[in-house]
Amino acid sequence: MAYRTRSRRTTAALAALSLGVLALTACDGDAGSEKDTGSGKATPSASASPSSAGPGKGSGTPAADDAGTGGGSAKPSGGGSTPPPAEPGDDDQDGGVGMCETTDLTYKVTVASRPVNHALLKASNTGGDPCLLAANDLVITIPGLDGAAGHMGPEGTDWILEPGGSAYAGIMFSRADTAGGKSADKVEIALAASESPTTVSVGGGPVTVNDIEVTSFFGTAEDALTY
């Protein structure tokens, strides 16, 4: 009976000891899991903290991206290919339209009823190609008289004279308050001082010439005879 009693006590003690060991093991496991859980939370909080990068560092990456975009947009849209500069050509302006030359146009000069002592010059492009008319370079002379006509009125604007188009200029042969002069029934016309003139008869002439002046070219006869 004494042996059985000791055996039961020994068994009970061993069972209690086993339970204590299991309890300690469970506690250690819970502590370890809490540590793991805490370390798991610490890592993302440290990396996600906006202040951990320091002032200005958080915006550093977007700034670099913007700089890259700006560098791309700063490149020429042509991909770096620059067209060669246009080389100047003689009498080649306005997209390949050449200057009107004296021989390119036909002319008609007619004495005007008003103003007195005036005539209307009509220059027409009877060719098949347009040309750029210099409005202010017109040269008018009288055969047998020295010097060219002076300029009167405002300056005009050069424009492209299409085939079939006309330009007008007013010629004043003499002033009403000036007596005397030379009779003339022809004028010489050049579109520039460097060109040879063409001789044109004065319709309704002869006229008396003592102080000749001419306007620039205009688009209408009315404008040309205003001055």
Tab-separated table of all heavy atoms in Angstrom, residues 104-105 124-130 162-164:
chain	number	residue	atom	x	y	z
A	104	ASP	N	7.761	93.299	-118.986
A	104	ASP	CA	6.720	92.323	-118.644
A	104	ASP	C	5.311	92.899	-118.781
A	104	ASP	O	4.345	92.139	-118.902
A	104	ASP	CB	6.892	91.830	-117.202
A	104	ASP	CG	8.163	91.015	-117.015
A	104	ASP	OD1	8.633	90.419	-117.993
A	104	ASP	OD2	8.671	90.984	-115.872
A	105	LEU	N	5.185	94.230	-118.750
A	105	LEU	CA	3.874	94.872	-118.721
A	105	LEU	C	3.636	95.689	-119.983
A	105	LEU	O	4.570	96.019	-120.718
A	105	LEU	CB	3.765	95.785	-117.494
A	105	LEU	CG	4.130	95.170	-116.132
A	105	LEU	CD1	3.931	96.208	-115.026
A	105	LEU	CD2	3.325	93.910	-115.864
A	124	SER	N	-0.492	97.070	-117.234
A	124	SER	CA	-1.232	95.801	-117.192
A	124	SER	C	-0.293	94.624	-117.412
A	124	SER	O	0.639	94.690	-118.224
A	124	SER	CB	-2.328	95.785	-118.266
A	124	SER	OG	-3.223	96.863	-118.081
A	125	ASN	N	-0.579	93.552	-116.678
A	125	ASN	CA	0.159	92.308	-116.848
A	125	ASN	C	-0.579	91.461	-117.874
A	125	ASN	O	-1.578	90.807	-117.559
A	125	ASN	CB	0.272	91.572	-115.512
A	125	ASN	CG	1.091	90.293	-115.610
A	125	ASN	OD1	1.596	89.945	-116.681
A	125	ASN	ND2	1.228	89.593	-114.491
A	126	THR	N	-0.111	91.473	-119.091
A	126	THR	CA	-0.749	90.699	-120.164
A	126	THR	C	-0.062	89.355	-120.393
A	126	THR	O	-0.436	88.619	-121.310
A	126	THR	CB	-0.733	91.506	-121.475
A	126	THR	OG1	0.624	91.848	-121.800
A	126	THR	CG2	-1.550	92.773	-121.330
A	127	GLY	N	0.902	89.038	-119.545
A	127	GLY	CA	1.593	87.763	-119.657
A	127	GLY	C	0.847	86.661	-118.933
A	127	GLY	O	-0.270	86.848	-118.430
A	128	GLY	N	1.484	85.503	-118.845
A	128	GLY	CA	0.844	84.350	-118.220
A	128	GLY	C	1.286	84.085	-116.807
A	128	GLY	O	0.785	83.163	-116.162
A	129	ASP	N	2.219	84.900	-116.290
A	129	ASP	CA	2.752	84.664	-114.952
A	129	ASP	C	2.572	85.902	-114.079
A	129	ASP	O	2.669	87.032	-114.561
A	129	ASP	CB	4.246	84.321	-115.017
A	129	ASP	CG	4.510	83.045	-115.790
A	129	ASP	OD1	3.755	82.066	-115.582
A	129	ASP	OD2	5.449	83.021	-116.602
A	130	PRO	N	2.326	85.705	-112.798
A	130	PRO	CA	2.266	86.855	-111.887
A	130	PRO	C	3.664	87.411	-111.651
A	130	PRO	O	4.676	86.721	-111.853
A	130	PRO	CB	1.689	86.251	-110.602
A	130	PRO	CG	2.098	84.822	-110.640
A	130	PRO	CD	2.088	84.426	-112.093
A	162	GLU	N	-1.266	89.922	-110.751
A	162	GLU	CA	-1.650	88.672	-111.409
A	162	GLU	C	-1.838	88.885	-112.914
A	162	GLU	O	-2.043	90.012	-113.370
A	162	GLU	CB	-2.952	88.139	-110.800
A	162	GLU	CG	-2.877	87.836	-109.313
A	162	GLU	CD	-2.051	86.603	-109.023
A	162	GLU	OE1	-1.755	85.842	-109.983
A	162	GLU	OE2	-1.720	86.395	-107.841
A	163	PRO	N	-1.767	87.802	-113.689
A	163	PRO	CA	-2.054	87.936	-115.125
A	163	PRO	C	-3.431	88.553	-115.358
A	163	PRO	O	-4.418	88.140	-114.746
A	163	PRO	CB	-2.004	86.487	-115.627
A	163	PRO	CG	-1.083	85.792	-114.674
A	163	PRO	CD	-1.336	86.420	-113.339
A	164	GLY	N	-3.485	89.577	-116.192
A	164	GLY	CA	-4.728	90.282	-116.451
A	164	GLY	C	-4.972	91.440	-115.497
A	164	GLY	O	-5.909	92.220	-115.704
